[in-house]
Short mmCIF file of all heavy atoms in Angstrom, two decimals:
data_model
loop_
_atom_site.label_atom_id
_atom_site.label_comp_id
_atom_site.label_asym_id
_atom_site.label_seq_id
_atom_site.Cartn_x
_atom_site.Cartn_y
_atom_site.Cartn_z
N ALA B 155 -15.10 -8.74 -22.31
CA ALA B 155 -16.04 -7.63 -22.21
C ALA B 155 -15.37 -6.43 -21.54
O ALA B 155 -14.48 -6.60 -20.70
CB ALA B 155 -17.26 -8.07 -21.40
N PRO B 156 -15.79 -5.23 -21.93
CA PRO B 156 -15.22 -4.03 -21.31
C PRO B 156 -15.35 -4.03 -19.78
O PRO B 156 -14.43 -3.63 -19.07
CB PRO B 156 -16.02 -2.88 -21.93
CG PRO B 156 -16.50 -3.42 -23.22
CD PRO B 156 -16.71 -4.89 -23.00
N GLU B 157 -16.50 -4.50 -19.27
CA GLU B 157 -16.69 -4.56 -17.82
C GLU B 157 -15.70 -5.53 -17.17
O GLU B 157 -15.24 -5.30 -16.06
CB GLU B 157 -18.12 -4.98 -17.48
CG GLU B 157 -19.13 -3.88 -17.70
CD GLU B 157 -18.85 -2.67 -16.80
OE1 GLU B 157 -18.78 -2.83 -15.57
OE2 GLU B 157 -18.72 -1.56 -17.35
N THR B 158 -15.36 -6.59 -17.87
CA THR B 158 -14.39 -7.56 -17.35
C THR B 158 -13.02 -6.90 -17.22
O THR B 158 -12.32 -7.09 -16.22
CB THR B 158 -14.29 -8.79 -18.27
OG1 THR B 158 -15.59 -9.37 -18.36
CG2 THR B 158 -13.29 -9.79 -17.75
N VAL B 159 -12.64 -6.10 -18.22
CA VAL B 159 -11.35 -5.40 -18.17
C VAL B 159 -11.35 -4.44 -16.98
O VAL B 159 -10.39 -4.40 -16.20
CB VAL B 159 -11.07 -4.65 -19.49
CG1 VAL B 159 -9.78 -3.85 -19.38
CG2 VAL B 159 -11.00 -5.62 -20.65
N ARG B 160 -12.43 -3.69 -16.83
CA ARG B 160 -12.50 -2.70 -15.75
C ARG B 160 -12.46 -3.37 -14.39
O ARG B 160 -11.70 -2.96 -13.50
CB ARG B 160 -13.79 -1.88 -15.88
CG ARG B 160 -13.90 -0.76 -14.88
CD ARG B 160 -15.02 0.19 -15.26
NE ARG B 160 -16.31 -0.45 -15.28
CZ ARG B 160 -17.20 -0.39 -14.28
NH1 ARG B 160 -16.91 0.27 -13.19
NH2 ARG B 160 -18.36 -0.99 -14.39
N HIS B 161 -13.21 -4.44 -14.20
CA HIS B 161 -13.23 -5.14 -12.91
C HIS B 161 -11.90 -5.84 -12.63
O HIS B 161 -11.45 -5.87 -11.47
CB HIS B 161 -14.38 -6.15 -12.85
CG HIS B 161 -15.71 -5.50 -12.68
ND1 HIS B 161 -16.25 -5.20 -11.46
CD2 HIS B 161 -16.61 -5.05 -13.60
CE1 HIS B 161 -17.42 -4.61 -11.62
NE2 HIS B 161 -17.66 -4.50 -12.92
N THR B 162 -11.28 -6.36 -13.67
CA THR B 162 -9.97 -6.99 -13.48
C THR B 162 -8.96 -5.94 -13.05
O THR B 162 -8.14 -6.19 -12.15
CB THR B 162 -9.51 -7.69 -14.78
OG1 THR B 162 -10.50 -8.65 -15.15
CG2 THR B 162 -8.18 -8.38 -14.58
N TRP B 163 -9.01 -4.76 -13.64
CA TRP B 163 -8.10 -3.68 -13.24
C TRP B 163 -8.34 -3.29 -11.79
O TRP B 163 -7.40 -3.06 -11.03
CB TRP B 163 -8.25 -2.47 -14.17
CG TRP B 163 -7.46 -1.30 -13.74
CD1 TRP B 163 -7.92 -0.06 -13.43
CD2 TRP B 163 -6.03 -1.22 -13.56
NE1 TRP B 163 -6.89 0.77 -13.06
CE2 TRP B 163 -5.72 0.08 -13.14
CE3 TRP B 163 -5.00 -2.14 -13.70
CZ2 TRP B 163 -4.41 0.49 -12.86
CZ3 TRP B 163 -3.69 -1.73 -13.44
CH2 TRP B 163 -3.42 -0.43 -13.02
N TRP B 164 -9.59 -3.24 -11.35
CA TRP B 164 -9.89 -2.94 -9.94
C TRP B 164 -9.26 -3.99 -9.02
O TRP B 164 -8.70 -3.66 -7.98
CB TRP B 164 -11.39 -2.89 -9.70
CG TRP B 164 -12.07 -1.65 -10.20
CD1 TRP B 164 -11.49 -0.51 -10.66
CD2 TRP B 164 -13.48 -1.46 -10.31
NE1 TRP B 164 -12.45 0.39 -11.05
CE2 TRP B 164 -13.69 -0.16 -10.84
CE3 TRP B 164 -14.57 -2.25 -10.02
CZ2 TRP B 164 -14.95 0.36 -11.07
CZ3 TRP B 164 -15.83 -1.72 -10.25
CH2 TRP B 164 -16.02 -0.43 -10.77
N ARG B 165 -9.40 -5.27 -9.40
CA ARG B 165 -8.82 -6.34 -8.57
C ARG B 165 -7.30 -6.23 -8.52
O ARG B 165 -6.70 -6.42 -7.46
CB ARG B 165 -9.24 -7.71 -9.09
CG ARG B 165 -10.65 -8.09 -8.70
CD ARG B 165 -10.96 -9.54 -8.96
NE ARG B 165 -10.88 -9.90 -10.36
CZ ARG B 165 -11.86 -9.72 -11.26
NH1 ARG B 165 -12.99 -9.17 -10.88
NH2 ARG B 165 -11.70 -10.08 -12.50
N VAL B 166 -6.68 -5.92 -9.65
CA VAL B 166 -5.22 -5.76 -9.67
C VAL B 166 -4.81 -4.62 -8.76
O VAL B 166 -3.88 -4.75 -7.95
CB VAL B 166 -4.71 -5.54 -11.11
CG1 VAL B 166 -3.26 -5.08 -11.12
CG2 VAL B 166 -4.86 -6.81 -11.93
N ARG B 167 -5.49 -3.48 -8.85
CA ARG B 167 -5.16 -2.34 -7.99
C ARG B 167 -5.33 -2.70 -6.52
O ARG B 167 -4.48 -2.36 -5.69
CB ARG B 167 -6.07 -1.15 -8.33
CG ARG B 167 -5.70 -0.52 -9.66
CD ARG B 167 -6.62 0.62 -10.02
NE ARG B 167 -6.74 1.57 -8.94
CZ ARG B 167 -7.73 2.45 -8.84
NH1 ARG B 167 -8.67 2.50 -9.72
NH2 ARG B 167 -7.77 3.29 -7.83
N ARG B 168 -6.40 -3.39 -6.18
CA ARG B 168 -6.64 -3.81 -4.79
C ARG B 168 -5.53 -4.74 -4.31
O ARG B 168 -5.00 -4.57 -3.21
CB ARG B 168 -8.00 -4.50 -4.69
CG ARG B 168 -8.33 -5.03 -3.31
CD ARG B 168 -9.39 -6.07 -3.33
NE ARG B 168 -8.93 -7.23 -4.09
CZ ARG B 168 -9.72 -8.13 -4.65
NH1 ARG B 168 -11.02 -7.99 -4.57
NH2 ARG B 168 -9.22 -9.14 -5.30
N ASP B 169 -5.16 -5.70 -5.14
CA ASP B 169 -4.14 -6.67 -4.75
C ASP B 169 -2.76 -6.03 -4.62
O ASP B 169 -2.00 -6.37 -3.71
CB ASP B 169 -4.10 -7.83 -5.74
CG ASP B 169 -5.37 -8.67 -5.71
OD1 ASP B 169 -6.21 -8.47 -4.80
OD2 ASP B 169 -5.53 -9.52 -6.62
N VAL B 170 -2.43 -5.11 -5.51
CA VAL B 170 -1.14 -4.42 -5.42
C VAL B 170 -1.10 -3.56 -4.15
O VAL B 170 -0.10 -3.55 -3.43
CB VAL B 170 -0.88 -3.57 -6.69
CG1 VAL B 170 0.29 -2.63 -6.49
CG2 VAL B 170 -0.63 -4.48 -7.88
N ALA B 171 -2.19 -2.86 -3.85
CA ALA B 171 -2.24 -2.05 -2.63
C ALA B 171 -2.11 -2.93 -1.39
O ALA B 171 -1.40 -2.57 -0.44
CB ALA B 171 -3.54 -1.24 -2.58
N ALA B 172 -2.77 -4.08 -1.38
CA ALA B 172 -2.68 -4.99 -0.24
C ALA B 172 -1.26 -5.52 -0.08
O ALA B 172 -0.75 -5.64 1.04
CB ALA B 172 -3.66 -6.15 -0.40
N ALA B 173 -0.61 -5.82 -1.19
CA ALA B 173 0.77 -6.30 -1.13
C ALA B 173 1.70 -5.22 -0.58
O ALA B 173 2.60 -5.51 0.22
CB ALA B 173 1.25 -6.74 -2.51
N MET B 174 1.47 -3.99 -0.97
CA MET B 174 2.29 -2.89 -0.44
C MET B 174 2.05 -2.70 1.05
O MET B 174 2.98 -2.46 1.80
CB MET B 174 1.99 -1.60 -1.21
CG MET B 174 2.51 -1.64 -2.64
SD MET B 174 2.03 -0.21 -3.60
CE MET B 174 2.97 1.07 -2.81
N ASP B 175 0.78 -2.83 1.49
CA ASP B 175 0.48 -2.72 2.91
C ASP B 175 1.17 -3.82 3.71
O ASP B 175 1.68 -3.58 4.79
CB ASP B 175 -1.03 -2.79 3.15
CG ASP B 175 -1.74 -1.52 2.74
OD1 ASP B 175 -1.06 -0.49 2.54
OD2 ASP B 175 -2.98 -1.55 2.62
N ARG B 176 1.17 -5.04 3.17
CA ARG B 176 1.82 -6.15 3.87
C ARG B 176 3.32 -5.90 4.01
O ARG B 176 3.92 -6.30 5.00
CB ARG B 176 1.58 -7.47 3.13
CG ARG B 176 0.21 -8.05 3.37
CD ARG B 176 0.12 -9.47 2.86
NE ARG B 176 0.42 -9.61 1.45
CZ ARG B 176 -0.46 -9.52 0.45
NH1 ARG B 176 -1.72 -9.27 0.73
NH2 ARG B 176 -0.09 -9.67 -0.80
N ARG B 177 3.92 -5.28 3.03
CA ARG B 177 5.36 -5.00 3.11
C ARG B 177 5.67 -3.94 4.16
O ARG B 177 6.73 -3.96 4.76
CB ARG B 177 5.88 -4.51 1.76
CG ARG B 177 6.03 -5.62 0.77
CD ARG B 177 6.69 -5.11 -0.50
NE ARG B 177 6.14 -5.84 -1.61
CZ ARG B 177 5.64 -5.32 -2.71
NH1 ARG B 177 5.66 -4.02 -2.88
NH2 ARG B 177 5.15 -6.06 -3.65
N THR B 178 4.75 -3.00 4.36
CA THR B 178 5.03 -1.91 5.29
C THR B 178 4.53 -2.17 6.70
O THR B 178 4.89 -1.46 7.62
CB THR B 178 4.41 -0.59 4.78
OG1 THR B 178 3.00 -0.76 4.63
CG2 THR B 178 5.02 -0.17 3.48
N VAL B 179 3.69 -3.20 6.90
CA VAL B 179 3.19 -3.52 8.25
C VAL B 179 4.36 -3.99 9.10
O VAL B 179 5.18 -4.78 8.69
CB VAL B 179 2.10 -4.61 8.18
CG1 VAL B 179 1.78 -5.14 9.56
CG2 VAL B 179 0.86 -4.05 7.53
N GLY B 180 4.43 -3.47 10.30
CA GLY B 180 5.48 -3.88 11.22
C GLY B 180 6.73 -3.02 11.12
O GLY B 180 7.58 -3.07 11.99
N LYS B 181 6.85 -2.24 10.08
CA LYS B 181 8.00 -1.35 9.96
C LYS B 181 7.57 0.03 10.42
O LYS B 181 6.76 0.69 9.78
CB LYS B 181 8.46 -1.26 8.50
CG LYS B 181 9.03 -2.53 7.95
CD LYS B 181 9.49 -2.32 6.53
CE LYS B 181 10.00 -3.60 5.90
NZ LYS B 181 10.38 -3.40 4.50
N PRO B 182 8.09 0.48 11.55
CA PRO B 182 7.71 1.80 12.01
C PRO B 182 8.30 2.86 11.08
O PRO B 182 9.39 2.68 10.53
CB PRO B 182 8.32 1.90 13.42
CG PRO B 182 9.43 0.91 13.41
CD PRO B 182 9.03 -0.17 12.45
N PRO B 183 7.59 3.96 10.87
CA PRO B 183 8.14 5.00 10.00
C PRO B 183 9.39 5.61 10.63
O PRO B 183 9.49 5.72 11.85
CB PRO B 183 7.01 6.02 9.91
CG PRO B 183 6.17 5.78 11.11
CD PRO B 183 6.31 4.31 11.42
N LYS B 184 10.32 5.96 9.79
CA LYS B 184 11.55 6.57 10.29
C LYS B 184 11.23 8.00 10.72
O LYS B 184 10.53 8.73 10.02
CB LYS B 184 12.61 6.57 9.20
CG LYS B 184 13.09 5.19 8.86
CD LYS B 184 14.23 5.23 7.91
CE LYS B 184 14.71 3.82 7.64
NZ LYS B 184 15.89 3.79 6.81
N PRO B 185 11.75 8.42 11.87
CA PRO B 185 11.47 9.78 12.32
C PRO B 185 12.16 10.80 11.43
O PRO B 185 13.25 10.56 10.90
CB PRO B 185 12.04 9.83 13.74
CG PRO B 185 13.04 8.73 13.79
CD PRO B 185 12.58 7.68 12.81
N ALA B 186 11.51 11.94 11.24
CA ALA B 186 12.09 12.99 10.41
C ALA B 186 13.30 13.60 11.11
O ALA B 186 14.24 14.05 10.47
CB ALA B 186 11.05 14.07 10.14
N VAL B 187 13.26 13.61 12.43
CA VAL B 187 14.36 14.16 13.22
C VAL B 187 14.80 13.10 14.22
O VAL B 187 13.97 12.43 14.83
CB VAL B 187 13.91 15.43 13.98
CG1 VAL B 187 15.01 15.99 14.83
CG2 VAL B 187 13.40 16.47 13.00
N THR B 188 16.08 12.94 14.38
CA THR B 188 16.59 11.97 15.33
C THR B 188 16.35 12.50 16.74
O THR B 188 16.76 13.61 17.07
CB THR B 188 18.09 11.73 15.12
OG1 THR B 188 18.30 11.35 13.76
CG2 THR B 188 18.60 10.66 16.04
N PRO B 189 15.65 11.74 17.59
CA PRO B 189 15.41 12.23 18.94
C PRO B 189 16.69 12.29 19.76
O PRO B 189 17.58 11.46 19.60
CB PRO B 189 14.45 11.20 19.52
CG PRO B 189 14.56 10.01 18.66
CD PRO B 189 15.07 10.45 17.34
N VAL B 190 16.78 13.30 20.59
CA VAL B 190 17.94 13.48 21.45
C VAL B 190 17.51 13.18 22.87
O VAL B 190 16.50 13.70 23.35
CB VAL B 190 18.46 14.95 21.37
CG1 VAL B 190 19.61 15.17 22.32
CG2 VAL B 190 18.86 15.28 19.95
N SER B 191 18.25 12.33 23.53
CA SER B 191 17.90 12.03 24.91
C SER B 191 18.76 12.90 25.83
O SER B 191 19.95 13.07 25.63
CB SER B 191 18.12 10.55 25.21
OG SER B 191 19.47 10.22 25.02
N ARG B 192 18.09 13.44 26.81
CA ARG B 192 18.78 14.28 27.79
C ARG B 192 18.63 13.64 29.16
O ARG B 192 17.61 13.03 29.45
CB ARG B 192 18.16 15.67 27.81
CG ARG B 192 18.33 16.40 26.51
CD ARG B 192 17.79 17.79 26.60
NE ARG B 192 17.99 18.44 25.30
CZ ARG B 192 17.28 19.44 24.87
NH1 ARG B 192 16.34 19.96 25.63
NH2 ARG B 192 17.51 19.96 23.70
N PRO B 193 19.64 13.83 30.01
CA PRO B 193 19.51 13.27 31.36
C PRO B 193 18.41 14.00 32.13
O PRO B 193 18.16 15.18 31.92
CB PRO B 193 20.88 13.50 31.99
CG PRO B 193 21.50 14.60 31.19
CD PRO B 193 20.90 14.51 29.81
#
């Protein structure tokens, strides 16, 4: 059924987004500029 295709696509999108979130959890974003430490 057309509704089955649409709902299946929603589940696939949700699952792919969750998988991407799991890959990025725990990895801090890289800073755009390297911080400089001064005494």
Side-chain angles (χ1 to χ4, degrees):
E157 285 298 305
T158 301
V159 176
R160 185 167 61 98
H161 286 272
T162 303
W163 174 239
W164 285 349
R165 282 192 297 277
V166 168
R167 288 178 51 199
R168 178 199 63 202
D169 294 351
V170 168
M174 290 174 68
D175 286 345
R176 282 191 302 271
R177 284 186 213 129
T178 58
V179 168
K181 293 182 183 177
K184 293 186 178 185
V187 178
T188 305
V190 177
S191 61
R192 296 184 180 156

